[in-house]
Structures are given as C-alpha cells and as structure tokens.
Amino acid sequence: MERVGADDGFFDLGGDSIIAIQLVARARQAGVVFGPRDVFRHQSVRELAAVATDGQETEHEPEGAGIGPLPATPIMAWLAERGGPIDGFNQTVVLRVPPGLGLDHLIVAVQAVLDCHDVLRLRVAGPGVSGLEVMARGVVRAAEHVRRVEVAGEVEEAVAGQVELLRCGLDPVAGRMVGVAWLDAGPEVSGRLVLTVHHLAVDGVSWRILLPDLFAAWEAAVQGKAPVLAPVPTSFRTWAHRLRDEARDRGEARDGGDAHDRTAELDRWTEILDGPDPLIGSRPLDPRIDTVATLRSLRLTLPPGQAEPLLTSVPAAFHGRAGDVLLTGLALAVAHWRRKRGGRGTSVLLDLEGHGREEIFPGVDLSRTVGWFTAMYPVRLDAGIGGWTDERAVTQAIKQVKEQLRAVPNPLGYGLLRHLDPVAGPELAGLPQPQIVFNYLGRVAVAEGDWNLVPAGFGGHDPGMPVAHTLEINVTTHDRPDGPHLEAVWSWPEGVLTGAEVRDLAGTWSEALEGLAAHGRGGYTPSDLLVDLDQNEIDRIQAAWEKR
C-alpha cells in the first residue's frame, strides 16, 4: 500500500492470515520478532511494536533435523484415504522472466532452493503416502529437473504443453517432486518460467517463500556469487513429528486426567458434522465414476468496485475479516438456492481449507517452512432467512456467521482426531461428510514486468483421482494496478451437478455479496469483547450509544 498509518488495522486494510505469515517472515529478516497470532491480537503497527522482540531470540533447530523419515501429516493421510493415483498431484505457477534468464544461472538458483527447503527432496517409498523420507542435501540435482525450451510466436500457447510434460515427469517414489521449464522466447521478448511441485511438498503459502528465494538465488548467480538463502528455523519434518506426538498425547489425555477437554473437542466436531445436509447434486459421489477427468469449472470474477469493500470496509465495520463476509454470502446463497429447488432449512455444512500453520507448539517458527500444511475441517453455518436486501437482515447474518466461525475449535485439532487418532478417527469418518469445500487463497499481486506471476489455472490432480467434494470453490484476490479482482473458480463433477445449476448458485453468491456490501451496517459481536454479553445486549448498548 502507498501508506499505512501507525494505528491502521492490518485486516481493515485488506490483510489476511496468509499475508500475516509473510509479514512475520519479512519482519524477522529485519530483526523484529512477532508471530502470526500477534498480528491477529495486535492489528496495528503501534500495537505490534509494543509486543515485538529482538531478532536474536529466534531459535533454529539443529543442522540436518529436516532430513530422514517422517510420518504422514493429517492432510497427507486425507490424500491417502481419498485413493486413486497421486503421481501427478501438483501445484504449478508461471512467471514472466527476462529474456537473458540463462540456463546456468537458473540451475544454480534452483539448486540453492532445493538445498534450502528440505521437503522438496521428499520421496514416497511405500504405497499411498507411507514410507515418507526427506533425502540429504545434494542428492537431488537441479540440472536433472530444469530444462530450457525455445519457443517462437505466442509464448502462452507453449505454456500448457510444458505444464503437462512437467506433471507427467513427477515421480514421488523416485523423489522427483520438482519440475522447471524455461520457455525462452528469444533475446528481445520476456519468456516464461513454469514451476511445478508435487502437492505433497507445497501449498499456497509455500510459494510466497519459494518464489522470492528463487529470485534472490538467481540474482546472486547472475552477479557471480554463491546464493545464500535465509535459514529455515523449523523444518517440515520436525512439524510432522510434532503433530504425530500431539495426536498421541491427546489420545492418552482423553483416556486420562484431561478426558473432559478432549472429549468436549470431539463432541464439538461431532455436533458440526451430525446434522442435516441435503444433497446438493442429483446423487452422492461415486469414486468409481466421479474422477478428476469428469470435473467441469466455472470462473466468476468480481471487479474492484465490488471486491474492494468485501475485503476491507465491510469486514472492518464488523471487526472481522474478509472470510467472514465471503462465507456469509455463501451460506445465504446455498440456502436460497436450495429453497428454489424445493429444499428446506438454512444450515450449510462446509469443509474449509486453512493454511494450517497454527501456533500450537512453543518454539516452532514456520514463517520460512515450505511444505503441504493445509488444514481441512468442517464448519456448519447458518445465516438465517433474512436474505441480503435490507440492513437489519444483512447485519444479523454477518454477525451470526462471524460468531459461528469463532466458535469452531482449532482447525488442526480436527485433522489430528480424524486422521491420526485410531479411536476418534473411525467415529468421525462415520458421520456425514461435507459436500462443499471452500478455500480462500488470499491476495496475490499481479503486475507487468519480469519476475511477476502470470495468472494461470494450471496444476491439479491425476485424471483418475476420485473427486472429494461435489462442489469445490477456490477464491483468490488478484491485486492488479486498477485494484483487487476477486476470482472464484467453481468445480464440480459432470453428472452430479449441471453447469446451469452451478452458474445459478455462483450468480446467487455474487448477488448476495453485493447485498452484504450495500447493506452491512457493522457492529460488535460477543467475541470482540472481554465482558460476557450476548448479541442482543451488545446491540441494545450500541443503539443507545448512537442515540445519546
């Protein structure tokens, strides 16, 4: 942003939890230490300055701690349970790069990144995701994973073919987790750099670490220097072991002295899942039929005039975050869409994807750790029946959903119980599973010039992998020179939903968001306050204050 005042709120300005992690990492590079949780609790520069500490207090784990066998994390166990082929399960980004990128410089840069970030050297030695092992530095040679491709004419036409070749070249068993292709368009035209990483080793936050590191390493190579990247305080392997140990400790606590707290958490997740959730498609998913090859998609983009208030002024008015508003709109839209099709009720069961880098272990710093950290967990939202066309209904809907989201237990807890706990796991697996998954991927800067992202819809699954949800909604804010563009990609298996049905639901969501932006009055909710007041009491006090 051009200007940030000392008392401006981080989330009020449009920040999100993923940018908060970037903020933490950059601050630590400058010798100022605070955690993502601090950004949530102390949302202005002035407040953060009061709790920040000197950079010398940052701890680093012993050399080589990230190398060796590691247990599957909850999201990896979810992938294994999903079944089907996973060799090509990946994320891919495309960068615009200078004409003289240089293959030798690129190989040096990629090697530095491979050596710095251990999980990029992951291999899968057993079936599914068993036998996971991080290989030693130097075992994976960048020269074997990077290629230069001469392209003529329209560069973008060549990108899709390279993306497919890189996907087919991934091989987790052989430890081939990374593929890089430089599309060289000649000495006068910016080329493209296609980077594909197996999803077991990367997520949305990881790219915000990898890409700056790749640029820094390339720049050093161009200058004839050996790249020196900032150290990684906590490895992915250490994190995976800590999660396994935490799941074991929680199971033992449930059988011992802390049984009440652990049982209460399991009861809360059970309560969320065990309720009404009418079919949103013509039939339940069939893993034999509904594979990734049958997926169809729809792209919906809200321009800056509509997107800006949804990301800043509306959540700020409710002392909340952008996700509160986006999910209120989705809950209203799904309930309205169901009623139009003869359904009843306003409760909506969703799976949410979060970044999964919660601060639950002391001394763990994940601000520079690359890996697949995603936490997937269920929520049940009910925005009521008031709709989105008048102030009172909109204000009530946003407040309700905001408090329902705040009441959800720690997202990591669900994955630990569901996938790493031998007792609680089967119990949760036997309950209804969400048909819709929602993932807000945060804000991504899109600009002209070299070393900037080229928005592309590449990456994904093996065609034969079973579909996990009837409807998947991935939302990203692309910050362009004219402002933020909110893009939602809706994906569904053909034969379960129709394109017309999804277009209707996506259009209803867009209409609901427009109504929330126009009529959301704002106000406090119980989670904002240190005193025990319910929503009616807060509203009465606020109304009296405004009339004084």
Side-chain angles (χ1 to χ4, degrees):
M1 303 192 69
E2 292 183 5
R3 178 186 179 278
V4 175
D7 295 302
D8 290 341
F10 176 79
F11 294 99
D12 296 349
L13 295 171
D16 54 51
S17 59
I18 294 176
I19 298 178
I21 295 172
Q22 289 182 279
L23 175 63
V24 167
R26 293 188 185 184
R28 291 187 179 184
Q29 289 176 10
V32 182
V33 177
F34 52 84
R37 187 178 299 168
D38 293 320
V39 181
F40 281 81
R41 292 176 175 173
H42 311 284
Q43 297 183 19
S44 70
V45 174
R46 188 184 305 280
E47 292 173 334
L48 277 173
V51 300
T53 59
D54 186 272
Q56 299 304 316
E57 297 180 11
T58 301
E59 298 180 5
H60 295 274
E61 65 185 20
E63 182 75 17
I67 298 169
L70 77 160
T73 62
I75 193 64
M76 291 175 170
W78 168 84
L79 176 66
E81 185 178 287
R82 183 174 170 181
I86 66 167
D87 282 4
F89 187 38
N90 76 90
Q91 288 192 336
T92 294
V93 300
V94 181
L95 297 172
R96 185 180 290 105
V97 290
L101 182 70
L103 181 61
D104 291 341
H105 296 150
L106 178 60
I107 290 174
V108 170
V110 172
Q111 188 67 59
V113 171
L114 288 169
D115 290 343
C116 178
H117 298 291
D118 297 327
V119 76
L120 298 180
R121 306 189 302 276
L122 184 69
R123 65 184 296 265
V124 183
V129 296
S130 62
L132 295 168
E133 180 185 9
V134 174
M135 295 182 287
R137 292 182 180 88
V139 171
V140 180
R141 307 304 304 164
E144 300 173 6
H145 300 263
V146 180
R147 63 171 172 263
R148 171 181 169 270
V149 181
E150 290 188 14
V151 294
E154 183 55 50
V155 179
E156 305 301 341
E157 294 178 0
V159 170
Q162 290 302 314
V163 168
E164 180 62 16
L165 287 174
L166 291 176
R167 183 188 73 80
C168 293
L170 296 177
D171 185 351
V173 174
R176 294 188 64 88
M177 305 297 282
V178 178
V180 181
W182 170 34
L183 278 63
D184 185 356
E188 305 296 330
V189 180
S190 292
R192 297 293 182 268
L193 189 65
V194 184
L195 303 156
T196 295
V197 180
H198 198 282
H199 207 337
L200 283 172
V202 78
D203 58 14
V205 177
S206 297
W207 288 110
R208 291 162 164 86
I209 301 167
L210 287 172
L211 297 182
D213 276 7
L214 180 66
F215 173 73
W218 173 82
E219 198 170 38
V222 168
Q223 296 171 2
K225 302 176 182 177
V228 179
L229 300 178
V232 179
T234 303
S235 67
F236 185 83
R237 179 172 179 265
T238 293
W239 174 253
H241 278 284
R242 294 294 294 270
L243 288 180
R244 183 199 60 185
D245 294 344
E246 176 69 9
R248 182 197 61 219
D249 293 345
R250 287 181 177 217
E252 293 174 354
R254 191 175 58 246
D255 299 330
D258 296 331
H260 176 74
D261 291 342
R262 303 309 183 192
T263 301
E265 182 183 11
L266 178 57
D267 288 346
R268 183 71 185 100
W269 291 118
T270 300
E271 179 185 345
I272 290 172
L273 289 168
D274 194 14
D277 188 36
L279 276 177
I280 63 168
S282 59
R283 57 172 173 78
L285 289 177
D286 184 338
R288 299 168 301 176
I289 301 172
D290 302 314
T291 62
V292 170
T294 70
L295 282 179
R296 302 295 176 262
S297 63
L298 167 70
R299 199 175 298 268
L300 170 74
T301 301
L302 300 183
Q306 292 176 264
E308 181 79 44
L310 296 170
L311 300 169
T312 56
S313 59
V314 178
F318 288 89
H319 310 281
R321 298 186 279 278
D324 302 331
V325 180
L326 299 179
L327 287 168
T328 300
L330 183 61
L332 287 168
V334 172
H336 179 78
W337 180 76
R338 274 176 166 160
R339 286 197 299 274
K340 286 198 305 183
R341 303 167 74 230
R344 299 170 60 187
T346 53
S347 171
V348 179
L349 180 63
L350 304 169
D351 262 339
L352 290 189
E353 287 194 35
H355 57 69
R357 296 169 187 247
E358 271 72 27
E359 296 175 272
I360 64 172
F361 304 124
V364 169
D365 177 3
L366 301 174
S367 60
R368 274 195 48 75
T369 310
V370 170
W372 190 20
F373 286 87
T374 300
M376 186 181 297
Y377 58 100
V379 298
R380 184 173 292 276
L381 304 178
D382 192 335
I385 60 173
W388 51 83
T389 57
D390 72 81
E391 182 180 286
R392 179 168 181 169
V394 165
T395 299
Q396 182 180 24
I398 295 176
K399 288 180 176 179
Q400 284 184 194
V401 169
K402 174 189 167 187
E403 288 303 290
Q404 289 161 9
L405 289 169
R406 299 300 181 274
V408 174
N410 188 309
L412 282 178
Y414 179 77
L416 294 176
L417 288 168
R418 172 65 178 80
H419 297 290
L420 302 185
D421 188 315
V423 176
E427 183 176 338
L428 290 170
L431 297 171
Q433 301 302 303
Q435 303 170 73
I436 304 173
V437 61
F438 180 90
N439 185 13
Y440 179 54
L441 296 161
R443 304 182 74 140
V444 177
V446 178
E448 296 297 323
D450 293 329
W451 290 104
N452 282 300
L453 282 171
V454 178
F458 299 119
H461 310 69
D462 282 275
M465 182 181 288
V467 173
H469 296 86
T470 300
L471 185 61
E472 181 174 345
I473 308 165
N474 289 297
V475 182
T476 307
T477 298
H478 290 118
D479 285 310
R480 301 178 183 273
D482 62 338
H485 295 246
L486 189 71
E487 180 183 88
V489 179
W490 303 64
S491 303
W492 69 97
E494 189 175 44
V496 181
L497 285 167
T498 67
E501 288 173 325
V502 177
R503 281 191 295 273
D504 185 22
L505 176 54
T508 304
W509 183 61
S510 176
E511 182 183 329
L513 291 178
E514 189 173 352
L516 297 183
H519 302 292
R521 179 167 173 266
Y524 290 94
T525 60
S527 64
D528 297 321
L529 307 178
L530 297 176
V531 293
D532 187 14
L533 296 174
D534 64 28
Q535 190 64 62
N536 289 332
E537 291 171 321
I538 294 171
D539 291 343
R540 286 200 301 270
I541 293 172
Q542 190 163 341
W545 176 258
E546 292 170 355
K547 293 177 181 177
R548 73 193 189 286

